[in-house]
Amino acid sequence: MFILNHLWIILALPLAGSMLTLLAGRHWAQKYVNLSSVGFVVLAFLSYCELAREFFNLSAAQIPWIGNYFTWMTAGNFRVDFALQVDQLTIVMLGVVTFVGMLIHIYSVGYMAHEEGYYRFFAEMNLFMFFMLTLVMAANLVLMFVGWEGVGLCSYLLISFFFQKKSAADAGKKAFITTRIGDFGFTIGILMAFWTFGSIDYKTMFAAAANMPVEGMHQWGVLTSICLLLLAGAVGKSAQLPLYVWLPDAMEGPTPVSALIHAATMVTAGVYMVARMNVLFSHAPAAMLAVAVIGGATALYAATIGLAQNDIKKVLAYSTISQLGYMFLACGVGAYAAGIFHLMTHAFFKALLFLAAGSVIHAMGGQQDMQHMGGLRKKIPWTFGTMLVATLAISGAPLFAGFFSKDEILFDAYAGPNANMVLYVVGISAALLTACYMFRLIFLTFYGKPRYDEHHVHVHESPKVMLAPLVILAILSVIGGWFVLPTYWGGKDYFQGFLDPVFASSTALAAKMHPAWTEPPHSLELTMAAIAVGVAFVGFLIAWYLYIRKPALPNKVANAFGPVYKLLLNKYYVDELYGAIIIGPLIWISRNVLWKVIDVGLIDGTVNGLAFLSRESGVGLRRMQSGNTRSYAAWVVIGAVAVTVFFVWMVR
Amino acid sequence: MADHNYLLTVITFFPLMGTFTLLLLSGDDHVWIRRFTLFASVIEFIMSLFLLRGFSLADGGYQFEEFYAWIPSLHIHYHMGVDGISLFLILLTTFLTPLAILCSWNSIHEHVKEFFAMLLVLEMGMVGVFCALDLFLFFVFWEVMLIPMYFLIGIWGHGRKVYAALKFILYTMLGSILMLVGILWLFHLSGVAGNPTFDLPTIVSMLHNGQISLPWHSEILLFLAFILAFAIKVPVFPLHTWLPDAHTEAPTAGSVILAGVLLKMGTYGMLRFCLPLFPEASHRAAPMIAVLAIIGIIYAALVAMVQTNLKRLVAYTSVSHLGFVVLGIFVFNPTAMEGAIYQMLNHGVSTGMLFLVCGMIYDRRHTYEFSELGGLAKSMPVLCAFFLFACLSSLALPLLNGFIGEFMILIGTFEHHEAWAIWAATGAILSAVYLLWAYQRTALEKITVAKNENLPDATPRERLILITASVVIVFMGVASPLFTHRMDATTHALLQQVGNPASYTARHVAPQAAQPMQHDLALRSVTLERRAQP
């Protein structure tokens, strides 16, 4: 029971690593930096393992297990405790964060070895782990917000890690500000939740919400408002429409950062938050629908952009946005467990994809443009092999992790209590595109003839410290989904069963809301799986035909559909649009109207004008002090009259 | 009334003693002048910490009171005392003064003795303002503190320093005169009621028990006289244009003290005078003041965003941040009010630190223009790391101090006025925009000006300053109850005096809620069911 009684240890470990590395690491040799930063993350993972062991010994009544450490804020009747909690959902999320985080730290030892600011990188990565764990373990909304903003900060720091590049500095700033726009909604949501429930503790909130009536689709109540506001935060953090624009730019950061923060952990915080708030969302069907629609739309939208990108990391970025859309879609149709399941498998295979892409970039000496790659299969076989596994997983090849999780989402969209045919079609179309753009990436990178100068680029396989995490993640990308395997012969879904206590009330509520809905037959599950696999295979075939069979064809297609291709290549010009209708005008108005006209011209001008006037009138008054007795007498008379008139007026 | 406790008098006049001793030193002995001033200010800080020891959490009234007749013929008393509002403001003053002295170590070359003497006189004036409970005494300290500030800007400033100093003094004087009229009027009223006095607690109780009856139009005029003086000081939009000039031209120590302490005197005055003396007028004026505060938050943030001068940018952020404080005061909610008091302290430390960093950059480059900066993180990584830290504190990152104050204000505001809270919260987005952009233009990207390539990084003295400020920022961000508990009783008492606009216990969870209420959300107007049936 040691860790359960001292939950703070899990947070304190990476924080200690971060502080130590930040304060002392500057003058250390790299191995000491490794020892302190990677070491502390490994310790965090080990304490997580111990926590999980202890957790399984708890009785159902003891969950959620809460550790309350100190009061962080209190004033009036508002109070926030620094309280951590552990339940089934936390266990899953903690596992993903600590394990993937640890692997990526190890990988970074090899990847970042030659970069300036080595210690800074690791200090910031450790700090990120601290905030991410806070986010996941928080027992109240405000503490979650602490982790939420904290990971945003680390994301900012790490995106602009190469701060001398203007693009990196811009991208970091953009990420922070865009997510802050979402956090504006999150903040208001917290305020409203506090005054609605009287507390921001999960326990009190959920208990109160569970007793409230379910709100109508058209008659929004307070729960719908809260959920929509929280959703705004989730949309920003998880890069969904319309706030996704920061994530592709975030690829300016070092690749391990993209893998950890912008694929496996931080960007999934929005999904986690929606799942965590499932009691609230279940009572607000309109907000649920919004979650599902945003998720579905994003899944498809980002996948189309992914088709036309040439930067290997950008493809993966749009793929991440698209996959996060799937998770939102799952939560939106009430399949929270499926959403979290996809979150987990996605963490494995997307982290792997990024790390493998990093290995490719490493091998190519920094080249990220797939148009200048090709034929790398033989030269970097380990990277190729692991990346192929991840691609199969994300495309939904049978028995790979992504197959199970994506299938579950599509199944729930089609046949769950909140089933929605449109969303299912959107989801399955995105699955087709996913297979297509992922195999396009594989074919462009590893197949065909080399399209780079072989005399200048010396392609080399990465060191073992980088390959080991790849292999481990590749194994997980295969077996990570086997929790649900038994369902295919009518057995039990272990993953869903494990998470059930967290989502039980929402599931029960959904069943109550849709009395007509019945558990779909087992055969349907197999049929749906077959359809999904078939669709993914079509996607694969398209990519194969275009990039292996007829490599000249893509250019012709691009030319034939010039405007469409250009639209996709330029990401629908959304960045330009935001620039033209929001950022540009805001800056222009601030500079030319608010500052130069109102502040300097109007307000200050008035003040200086008054000063001028008073000086001039002072000069005028001076003339009255003429020294001439008669004029003084005249002034006395005028004054006396004025005073009399005043008093008469007053007395009247 | 007076128990024999002279702590406040000692704290108030110790800096003046320091000044006199300083004047005995030879004017050329710069080293000892600096050392002695620093020593005196540190002793002063340590002495002020004794306030914490004797301060009672349960007492909502004034503590450490001293009460003597000063000018009996005019009924003027020497009445000093602190409560939960002024306690930490005094500490803030005594904390920032040594930092201001340390940061001026090498940047003042002319009239060194006079400079440090001015700083100590200033400190006396500031501590006195926060301690004085007699209106006349308050006014004396209020004026005393203006003079050294005027000279600090006018003599040791840069650029258009005389213009800035004059603008500063004229603006403030205008407010002071109105306030003086108000003070004399109150004195007159108390005389009419048969007990002529300048004593604030006495006047407040006379007003409350009806001994002084104040007709509505007189109350509003008196209220205006006071609030204008304080609003100029804060400054509340649109009375803020003296501030960017004063800050930009002031020496670093001047800016630190100006932003850190002087601006708080406006908000302190609102809490100390406007609310208890004129509760009715405060309530009536609250919507207007709150709207001005919110305009200030957004407007100043937008104007800050497009500044081309680092220090001017930081100056505008003060207007934006103080808008939060004013808002928190005028929603008459305990959470918001404690948030406002806390935010006063936060702003003092965070913005103080920002100005300190600005000053360190200026010491090296003699410019604040962004076009001359850029890429400094390459040449001065440590200094820039502290700069970023100060920015984060200022943009209200959780676990740093700014978040606590801002969040409490928002929570408290939201209870009574959802729309105000929502508008104010946009300030959080904008603060990220202007601060991160400022940081980028100063510290990130490639170095474009050759002079920036070989700048020395933070010296040990500078690190000491910045580390001290950072530790306080983190401490205040994590351990806020240590502060807010000491404000509870006073806030409670004050709100009882002012009266609370709406009961806030009745608005909790409403499972079987009924009575719908109109909401003014940005998303769309939604019907909420939350008010419990009585």
Side-chain angles (χ1 to χ4, degrees):
Chain A
M1 300 295 281
F2 181 73
I3 297 285
L4 274 178
N5 289 328
H6 300 88
L7 287 175
W8 56 270
I9 287 180
I10 299 186
L11 302 185
L13 285 168
L15 183 65
S18 169
M19 291 300 127
L20 194 64
T21 316
L22 189 68
L23 296 178
R26 206 163 156 199
H27 309 291
W28 280 352
Q30 287 191 354
K31 62 179 172 183
Y32 296 113
V33 174
N34 298 342
L35 201 65
S36 90
S37 61
V38 183
F40 275 104
V41 175
V42 173
L43 283 179
F45 174 68
L46 292 178
S47 39
Y48 162 72
C49 294
E50 168 62 16
L51 171 73
R53 191 191 66 78
E54 290 168 7
F55 180 81
F56 283 105
N57 293 332
L58 288 179
S59 67
Q62 287 173 297
I63 298 171
W65 180 275
I66 294 177
N68 196 337
Y69 297 100
F70 61 90
T71 302
W72 178 42
M73 262 199 247
T74 166
N77 45 9
F78 176 65
R79 178 193 165 106
V80 182
D81 287 329
F82 197 92
L84 304 176
Q85 94 168 32
V86 177
D87 64 359
Q88 289 84 355
L89 182 56
T90 320
I91 289 287
V92 173
M93 290 300 293
L94 275 182
V96 171
V97 173
T98 51
F99 184 67
V100 177
M102 177 181 72
L103 289 182
I104 293 173
H105 270 76
I106 294 171
Y107 173 94
S108 307
V109 169
Y111 190 85
M112 298 300 291
H114 307 294
E115 301 292 348
E116 204 180 333
Y118 189 78
Y119 81 101
R120 182 162 61 93
F121 176 84
F122 277 99
E124 289 166 0
M125 289 285 272
N126 276 13
L127 190 65
F128 169 79
M129 293 293 284
F130 163 72
F131 279 119
M132 190 68 208
L133 294 171
T134 310
L135 196 167
V136 172
M137 294 179 78
N140 62 57
L141 258 184
V142 179
L143 197 58
M144 185 205 259
F145 190 69
V146 171
W148 190 272
E149 290 288 286
V151 291
L153 163 71
C154 298
S155 163
Y156 164 77
L157 292 172
L158 285 162
I159 293 169
S160 43
F161 181 77
F162 302 115
F163 62 84
Q164 287 179 291
K165 271 169 73 183
K166 184 174 180 339
S167 54
D170 283 338
K173 189 179 61 185
K174 181 173 176 182
F176 195 88
I177 291 168
T178 315
T179 46
R180 266 241 163 168
I181 293 173
D183 295 349
F184 165 72
F186 194 170
T187 310
I188 308 291
I190 297 176
L191 302 183
M192 198 181 256
F194 176 72
W195 290 111
T196 307
F197 305 117
S199 169
I200 34 75
D201 287 336
Y202 293 155
K203 234 179 162 171
T204 326
M205 280 173 64
F206 298 160
N211 288 327
M212 292 168 85
V214 176
E215 288 171 359
M217 187 65 93
H218 301 293
Q219 217 241 325
W220 290 6
V222 62
L223 286 179
T224 311
S225 309
I226 293 174
C227 289
L228 287 174
L229 288 163
L230 295 181
L231 176 63
V235 161
K237 199 59 115 196
S238 291
Q240 299 292 292
L241 281 172
L243 295 178
Y244 70 94
V245 288
W246 64 272
L247 187 61
D249 289 22
M251 296 300 125
E252 288 286 341
T255 306
V257 172
S258 313
L260 178 61
I261 301 184
H262 306 120
T265 55
M266 182 188 84
V267 288
T268 62
V271 183
Y272 166 75
M273 187 240 263
V274 174
R276 177 54 82 198
M277 297 290 138
N278 67 80
V279 182
L280 272 60
F281 275 90
S282 302
H283 283 74
M288 291 274 281
L289 186 66
V291 175
V293 168
I294 289 176
T298 311
L300 188 61
Y301 172 85
T304 57
I305 301 179
L307 283 174
Q309 297 303 305
N310 289 323
D311 182 317
I312 187 166
K313 281 180 78 180
K314 286 268 162 78
V315 176
L316 294 178
Y318 282 102
S319 161
T320 305
I321 297 173
S322 167
Q323 297 297 312
L324 289 166
Y326 270 111
M327 298 173 210
F328 271 77
L329 175 60
C331 292
V333 296
Y336 300 104
I340 295 296
F341 188 38
H342 195 58
L343 187 161
M344 185 181 82
T345 58
H346 175 257
F348 297 146
F349 58 68
K350 187 52 69 64
L352 173 53
L353 281 171
F354 269 110
L355 294 186
S359 182
V360 171
I361 295 166
H362 191 83
M364 297 291 298
Q367 180 59 263
Q368 296 188 196
D369 192 338
M370 295 191 295
Q371 286 170 318
H372 301 287
M373 294 181 184
L376 295 175
R377 183 174 30 147
K378 297 269 169 53
K379 289 179 177 147
I380 42 175
W382 282 97
T383 305
F384 167 68
T386 50
M387 200 163 190
L388 185 63
V389 169
T391 304
L392 288 167
I394 193 177
S395 310
L399 293 184
F400 285 74
F403 163 74
F404 297 103
S405 54
K406 195 184 284 184
D407 190 45
E408 207 162 310
I409 294 173
L410 290 175
F411 181 72
D412 275 304
Y414 181 78
N418 292 312
N420 187 321
M421 200 55 208
V422 179
L423 289 174
Y424 172 76
V425 173
V426 167
I428 198 97
S429 322
L432 179 117
L433 295 178
T434 307
C436 188
Y437 69 69
M438 281 314 300
F439 277 98
R440 170 176 175 266
L441 183 150
I442 290 286
F443 294 146
L444 278 176
T445 311
F446 294 104
Y447 286 81
K449 291 207 173 61
R451 291 181 299 276
Y452 53 90
D453 188 348
E454 285 179 273
H455 298 290
H456 287 94
V457 183
H458 302 287
V459 180
H460 53 280
E461 186 61 289
S462 299
K464 288 205 179 65
V465 69
M466 288 166 70
L467 292 180
L470 292 186
V471 173
I472 296 172
L473 283 171
I475 294 169
L476 282 172
S477 300
V478 180
I479 65 167
W482 290 358
F483 293 106
V484 297
L485 204 49
T487 45
Y488 286 86
W489 42 89
K492 197 170 150 210
D493 179 342
Y494 290 116
F495 194 83
Q496 204 162 1
F498 178 66
L499 282 179
D500 199 44
V502 182
F503 303 125
S505 69
S506 297
T507 320
L509 189 66
K512 209 173 85 185
M513 296 273 293
H514 303 275
W517 178 78
T518 48
E519 193 83 33
H522 180 60
S523 57
L524 183 65
E525 195 147 356
L526 297 177
T527 320
M528 300 299 299
I531 294 174
V533 171
V535 165
F537 190 67
V538 173
F540 162 76
L541 280 182
I542 295 171
W544 175 80
Y545 188 76
L546 285 177
Y547 294 95
I548 298 286
R549 193 72 212 278
K550 304 257 166 141
L553 204 54
N555 278 335
K556 284 186 198 152
V557 175
N559 288 336
F561 296 93
V564 178
Y565 175 73
K566 222 170 153 199
L567 194 66
L568 292 182
L569 187 67
N570 290 298
K571 311 151 216 164
Y572 295 98
Y573 296 99
V574 171
D575 276 319
E576 288 77 0
L577 188 73
Y578 286 180
I581 64 171
I582 301 174
I583 303 162
L586 193 68
I587 290 183
W588 190 88
I589 288 172
S590 301
R591 178 174 296 141
N592 296 319
V593 179
L594 295 184
W595 181 28
K596 298 211 163 132
V597 173
I598 296 186
D599 217 60
V600 175
L602 203 64
I603 301 176
D604 222 25
T606 312
V607 172
N608 288 337
L610 280 177
F612 177 76
L613 259 178
S614 65
R615 199 174 63 215
E616 290 302 297
S617 58
V619 170
L621 281 174
R622 202 173 58 198
R623 293 212 184 90
M624 293 197 301
Q625 317 278 328
S626 55
N628 183 335
T629 330
R630 258 179 302 170
S631 75
Y632 282 169
W635 283 116
V636 169
V637 171
I638 293 173
V641 169
V643 170
T644 315
V645 167
F646 178 73
F647 272 102
V648 167
W649 180 71
M650 282 290 283
V651 172
R652 176 179 60 93
Chain B
M1 230 171 148
D3 51 1
H4 295 282
N5 187 336
Y6 305 108
L7 187 55
L8 288 183
T9 302
V10 172
I11 295 176
T12 309
F13 293 103
F14 181 78
L16 198 63
M17 301 280 294
T19 313
F20 289 138
T21 321
L22 191 62
L23 292 177
L24 299 176
L25 289 173
S26 152
D28 299 328
D29 194 358
H30 293 183
V31 176
W32 276 102
I33 289 172
R34 290 190 293 241
R35 284 186 191 165
F36 175 78
T37 322
L38 180 66
F39 176 74
S41 65
V42 170
I43 295 289
E44 165 83 354
F45 176 61
I46 293 169
M47 285 196 301
S48 66
L49 287 178
F50 281 94
L51 285 174
L52 284 179
R53 220 182 91 207
F55 192 84
S56 154
L57 268 70
D59 187 354
Y62 298 107
Q63 306 185 26
F64 302 99
E65 266 184 296
E66 296 173 39
F67 188 86
Y68 309 102
W70 179 19
I71 312 177
S73 57
L74 292 175
H75 307 282
I76 294 169
H77 295 95
Y78 177 78
H79 188 184
M80 308 278 268
V82 292
D83 63 359
I85 300 170
S86 48
L87 171 70
F88 289 109
L89 288 169
I90 295 172
L91 290 178
L92 177 71
T93 310
T94 56
F95 170 74
L96 283 178
T97 307
L99 292 189
I101 290 167
L102 258 179
C103 80
S104 319
W105 213 249
N106 293 329
S107 37
I108 302 297
H109 306 290
E110 291 159 6
H111 309 294
V112 175
K113 187 160 90 174
E114 287 77 4
F115 178 84
F116 286 105
M118 289 289 174
L119 274 182
L120 286 180
V121 174
L122 185 60
E123 183 172 23
M124 180 208 68
M126 294 185 298
V127 175
V129 163
F130 291 130
C131 292
L133 294 179
D134 185 279
L135 290 173
F136 191 83
L137 186 64
F138 173 83
F139 188 75
V140 169
F141 280 124
W142 177 275
E143 294 295 306
V144 160
M145 144 216 109
L146 289 182
I147 297 154
M149 199 64 212
Y150 171 75
F151 286 120
L152 282 179
I153 301 175
I155 298 178
W156 292 278
H158 6 258
R160 297 202 301 165
K161 55 189 180 185
V162 176
Y163 169 78
L166 206 62
K167 201 167 173 183
F168 163 75
I169 205 96
L170 282 181
Y171 255 102
T172 324
M173 278 294 190
L174 176 71
S176 303
I177 286 163
L178 288 172
M179 186 166 66
L180 182 63
V181 172
I183 289 175
L184 291 176
W185 192 348
L186 279 174
F187 173 71
H188 169 72
L189 286 172
S190 70
V192 169
N195 179 16
T197 181
F198 281 103
D199 190 51
L200 176 68
T202 314
I203 294 179
V204 169
S205 67
M206 285 168 84
L207 278 166
H208 275 266
N209 61 24
Q211 269 177 287
I212 302 178
S213 65
L214 205 52
W216 165 243
H217 67 267
S218 320
E219 179 173 347
I220 200 79
L221 281 178
L222 271 169
F223 175 78
L224 280 177
F226 278 91
I227 196 84
L228 261 173
F230 299 137
I232 289 172
K233 199 82 188 168
V234 169
V236 174
F237 175 89
L239 305 169
H240 64 274
T241 51
W242 64 271
L243 182 90
D245 285 317
H247 267 310
T248 314
E249 316 302 358
T252 306
S255 301
V256 171
I257 297 291
L258 187 58
V261 185
L262 261 60
L263 305 188
K264 310 306 174 313
M265 292 183 176
T267 43
Y268 169 76
M270 291 174 186
L271 282 167
R272 176 66 81 232
F273 299 98
C274 293
L275 262 53
L277 285 172
F278 320 110
E280 176 73 24
S282 301
H283 276 297
R284 294 247 195 135
M288 274 175 287
I289 297 174
V291 167
L292 285 180
I294 292 168
I295 293 177
I297 291 173
I298 299 170
Y299 169 88
L302 289 173
V303 175
M305 178 175 78
V306 292
Q307 293 303 308
T308 55
N309 178 306
L310 175 60
K311 204 171 182 190
R312 196 169 270 268
L313 185 149
V314 179
Y316 273 105
T317 69
S318 287
V319 182
S320 185
H321 282 135
L322 267 296
F324 270 100
V325 178
V326 174
L327 178 66
I329 292 174
F330 279 92
V331 290
F332 310 106
N333 173 291
T335 314
M337 189 170 282
E338 287 189 23
I341 303 171
Y342 206 67
Q343 189 65 2
M344 283 153 78
L345 310 175
N346 292 335
H347 176 263
V349 182
S350 311
T351 310
M353 185 170 169
L354 277 175
F355 277 121
L356 288 166
V357 174
C358 288
M360 292 170 191
I361 293 172
Y362 186 86
D363 284 347
R364 292 165 168 76
R365 287 289 286 107
H366 299 285
T367 181
Y368 296 116
E369 291 296 324
F370 285 124
S371 54
E372 289 286 311
L373 304 173
L376 298 185
K378 176 81 179 149
S379 44
M380 309 190 287
V382 175
L383 187 58
C384 286
F386 280 112
F387 182 26
L388 181 62
F389 185 82
C391 289
L392 295 175
S393 149
S394 188
L395 64 75
L397 191 84
L399 293 190
L400 302 182
N401 56 0
F403 176 74
I404 310 243
E406 233 175 82
F407 201 77
M408 281 181 183
I409 292 171
L410 289 178
I411 281 270
T413 306
F414 193 83
E415 184 187 9
H416 310 292
H417 308 280
E418 283 95 351
W420 294 0
I422 292 168
W423 281 107
T426 57
I429 305 176
L430 295 173
S431 64
V433 177
Y434 61 69
L435 283 168
L436 292 186
W437 196 14
Y439 179 70
Q440 182 176 353
R441 285 184 284 177
T442 311
L444 304 185
E445 300 182 16
K446 280 215 161 50
I447 290 177
T448 47
V449 180
K451 277 188 199 165
N452 291 336
E453 257 156 33
N454 293 313
L455 296 175
D457 206 346
T459 63
R461 174 180 58 86
E462 290 169 335
R463 283 178 202 211
L464 176 69
I465 298 173
L466 296 173
I467 288 170
T468 313
S470 308
V471 168
V472 171
I473 284 173
V474 173
F475 181 74
M476 290 184 71
V478 179
S480 71
L482 291 179
F483 296 80
T484 50
H485 277 320
R486 288 174 171 76
M487 304 169 187
D488 284 337
T490 306
T491 323
H492 184 74
L494 179 56
L495 280 172
Q496 279 204 321
Q497 273 177 350
V498 189
N500 214 303
S503 82
Y504 44 85
T505 42
R507 299 188 62 165
H508 275 208
V509 193
Q512 314 82 13
Q515 202 174 328
M517 214 176 73
Q518 278 308 311
H519 257 256
D520 192 13
L521 274 184
L523 291 168
R524 64 169 257 206
S525 185
V526 290
T527 315
L528 287 188
E529 305 171 356
R530 53 196 286 205
R531 227 186 248 267
Q533 286 282 51

